[in-house]
Amino acid sequence: MSTPGIKIFAPATVGNVACGFDVLGLSIEGLGDELIARQVDEPGLRIVKITGAKGKLPYEVEKNTAGLAGLRLLQHLGKEQEIGIEFELRKKMPFGSGLGSSAASAVAGAMAVNELLKRPLEKRDLLPFALAGESIATGTAAHADNVAPSLLGGIILVRSSNPPDVHRLPAIPGLQVTIISPKLEIMTKEARSILSSQVPLSDFVQQSANLGAFVAAMYRQDITLLGRCLKDIIIEPQRAKLIPHFSEVQDAALEAGALGCSISGAGPAIFALSSNSLIAEAVGNAMSSTWEKYGIEHTIYQSPINLEGARKM
Ligand code: HSE
């Protein structure tokens, strides 16, 4: 016998947000993964269906980000031998895009188990389990800059991923995110392997100043200050070569009025922040025209900051 089940939505996210490599992330609306979970008689967690993944995701629970996140939570609650759960994962976002696809699945897995068991844990306490799931995708201890905003919503500052110490910043009202995502995949592992382990002191100083100013801008709701600090002078110059015509797309976004524009997470998606939805739309059109010129297939997303994060649908 199985119960009718519950459905969870976990949103896509933009990691790094220009000036905060591995320490800033924000959540968007509309795009994300869905997971249906049902309670069944046979104890243990199983993945019974995956759609939208083009056969790229394993059904083995311990090798699947949603599965492992859910399993770790079930084990933590001491219910693995007692409760039976089936997952149906509906991938609704592109892989290797820099939009936190694996993190969204991991968050959905942890949320689903918690909701099915009538919320034994608070939402924010699910973070370590979602991070355990996400670690499959990164191959190392996961960074919380996608997982935390997907779970909690809003704009998140990650002081530490392990143990998790994350802080939600007050998002400036009206802020809009435009994302352009090409039909290309970049694996985060690969995009990290090209990064230099050395940072010139002057670059460190400038990037720290911009990150500090970003936090101040959010607390002061100061959109012009935000526009001055949305820059990545350390990581973006090293990764830009992985994304076709990156600088031209960025210039087009800034000329159309974006406050800032940089690589979303490890790329290849590019994001821009704008002060309102009309500018965000113009920014999307400008970025799109640039890639159209070169015949690069892409999708544009536009969204306010998602303040809720993962939710039961
Ligand atoms: N911040 C990571 C990176 C991506 O840019 O490599 C997600 O954790």
Side-chain angles (χ1 to χ4, degrees):
M1 195 199 73
S2 73
T3 58
I6 52 152
K7 195 185 206 182
I8 303 294
F9 172 77
T13 46
V14 172
N16 302 339
V17 200
C19 54
F21 180 61
D22 283 354
V23 303
L24 284 178
L26 59 81
S27 181
I28 65 164
E29 283 179 6
L31 186 68
D33 281 347
E34 289 173 13
L35 194 148
I36 294 169
R38 293 179 202 90
Q39 207 164 328
V40 293
D41 291 336
E42 192 188 334
L45 177 65
R46 281 168 298 281
I47 299 171
V48 295
K49 193 170 177 188
I50 301 176
T51 55
K54 297 182 188 137
K56 288 185 189 171
L57 290 183
Y59 278 74
E60 279 163 88
V61 167
E62 303 226 6
K63 292 188 178 160
N64 179 295
T65 63
L68 186 61
L71 180 66
R72 289 287 179 262
L73 176 56
L74 206 55
Q75 289 168 336
H76 168 81
L77 297 170
K79 301 277 187 196
E80 196 198 355
Q81 311 297 332
E82 201 181 303
I83 302 229
I85 294 177
E86 284 181 357
F87 274 1
E88 178 184 333
L89 179 60
R90 298 182 178 175
K91 285 302 295 178
K92 299 240 166 167
M93 49 183 295
F95 287 99
S97 55
L99 296 171
S101 170
S102 53
S105 294
V107 164
M111 269 282 281
V113 169
N114 199 48
E115 288 292 326
L116 263 191
L117 300 187
K118 312 259 183 306
R119 298 191 199 164
L121 295 192
E122 294 290 325
K123 202 179 186 195
R124 79 177 285 121
D125 296 331
L126 300 176
L127 199 50
F129 307 100
L131 281 167
E134 163 83 329
S135 67
I136 298 177
T138 53
T140 52
H143 304 277
D145 55 332
N146 291 115
V147 167
S150 182
L151 180 68
L152 303 170
I155 302 177
I156 301 279
L157 174 78
V158 179
R159 199 210 58 81
S160 155
S161 291
N162 186 20
D165 183 4
V166 306
H167 302 273
R168 195 163 139 167
L169 306 176
I172 299 176
L175 210 55
Q176 288 273 321
V177 191
T178 310
I179 289 167
I180 186 163
S181 176
K183 280 201 168 148
L184 295 173
E185 281 181 25
I186 294 182
M187 289 302 122
T188 301
K189 252 184 263 181
E190 205 182 298
R192 293 182 84 83
S193 69
I194 64 161
L195 299 177
S196 165
S197 56
Q198 308 287 318
V199 177
L201 190 59
S202 57
D203 288 357
F204 165 77
V205 170
Q206 209 178 317
Q207 193 101 336
S208 313
N210 282 332
L211 177 57
F214 180 97
V215 175
M218 288 301 160
Y219 275 96
R220 286 177 28 196
Q221 314 271 287
D222 186 338
I223 208 121
T224 54
L225 177 59
L226 179 63
R228 295 202 297 280
C229 58
L230 279 175
K231 293 184 181 80
D232 174 6
I233 58 158
I234 295 176
I235 306 298
E236 184 190 287
Q238 300 181 67
R239 284 180 170 168
K241 59 176 178 282
L242 302 176
I243 305 170
H245 310 285
F246 170 79
S247 302
E248 221 178 302
V249 175
Q250 185 183 49
D251 288 347
L254 296 173
E255 261 167 48
L259 297 163
C261 172
S262 187
I263 302 168
S264 177
I270 301 171
F271 82 97
L273 291 187
S274 299
S275 54
N276 66 52
S277 61
L278 282 180
I279 299 176
E281 201 180 320
V283 165
N285 290 337
M287 295 198 288
S288 186
S289 308
T290 310
W291 269 352
E292 265 166 24
K293 207 166 64 185
Y294 296 105
I296 298 165
E297 274 189 80
H298 60 270
T299 310
I300 295 274
Y301 305 98
Q302 188 188 323
S303 156
I305 307 285
N306 173 344
L307 297 176
E308 191 183 1
R311 65 187 159 85
K312 195 168 145 188
M313 295 176 89

